[in-house]
Amino acid sequence: MRRRNVDLSAEEKKMLDLHNKTRAQRGLPRLCVHPDLQRAARAYSKEMIAKDRFAHGNVGERLRKVGYRWSTYGENILYDPGSRDSAESLFKLWMNSSGHRANILEKDFREIGIGASSGEYKGGRATMWTADFGDR
């Protein structure tokens, strides 16, 4: 299988590093960025901004549409109204939520895509984050 490089923004890379640091502290394997999951996560963050909507939707179908043939998947989304100044503070919000923390620490997840998109949302500036987890 040919490996494809995936370019992450500085914000996305920092968020990936926080995921992997937290997993390593608990003896879990690192998450590897998968191009299909990355494409899905970025597209969904952009879609939430464009449609002025914050909700998960049909994650499994969305992942299939980008070509990711999952055996298991999960998704975390986050709305940042611009009041938080660091990836660490945003990541802490996910870790303080039992459902989001469960996805981050799920041992069966081996791959991830992390997408951030900023724009006009509900009359203000915001950044939407999507983390799509999976294994094939």
Side-chain angles (χ1 to χ4, degrees), residues 1 8 37 48 68 70 73 80 83 93 97 100 102 105 123-124 126-127:
M1 180 171 125
L8 301 178
L37 289 176
M48 286 190 289
Y68 189 74
W70 51 267
Y73 70 85
D80 176 13
S83 61
L93 292 174
S97 162
H100 296 103
L105 300 177
T127 300

Side-chain angles (χ1 to χ4, degrees), residues 24-127:
Q25 290 169 342
R26 290 161 174 83
L28 296 167
R30 291 174 37 91
L31 296 165
C32 296
V33 177
H34 188 280
D36 293 337
L37 289 176
Q38 186 63 29
R39 194 167 43 257
R42 280 188 181 148
Y44 197 60
S45 290
K46 287 179 185 176
E47 181 180 319
M48 286 190 289
I49 290 283
K51 292 186 175 180
D52 229 17
R53 178 176 65 97
F54 181 70
H56 286 283
N58 188 334
V59 180
E61 183 59 28
R62 196 166 9 94
L63 297 181
R64 277 196 176 98
K65 283 183 180 178
V66 297
Y68 189 74
R69 302 293 175 235
W70 51 267
S71 63
T72 185
Y73 70 85
E75 181 175 78
N76 288 350
I77 58 175
L78 179 66
Y79 159 67
D80 176 13
S83 61
R84 299 185 180 70
D85 58 356
S86 70
E88 288 87 355
S89 64
L90 296 169
F91 185 74
K92 191 178 286 188
L93 292 174
W94 272 338
M95 287 302 291
N96 287 335
S97 162
S98 60
H100 296 103
R101 183 176 54 251
N103 280 340
I104 292 166
L105 300 177
E106 173 54 57
K107 66 179 176 47
D108 291 335
F109 292 153
R110 301 301 173 113
E111 298 171 325
I112 192 170
I114 299 175
S117 183
S118 298
E120 188 76 19
Y121 178 76
K122 305 269 185 220
R125 188 92 178 133
T127 300

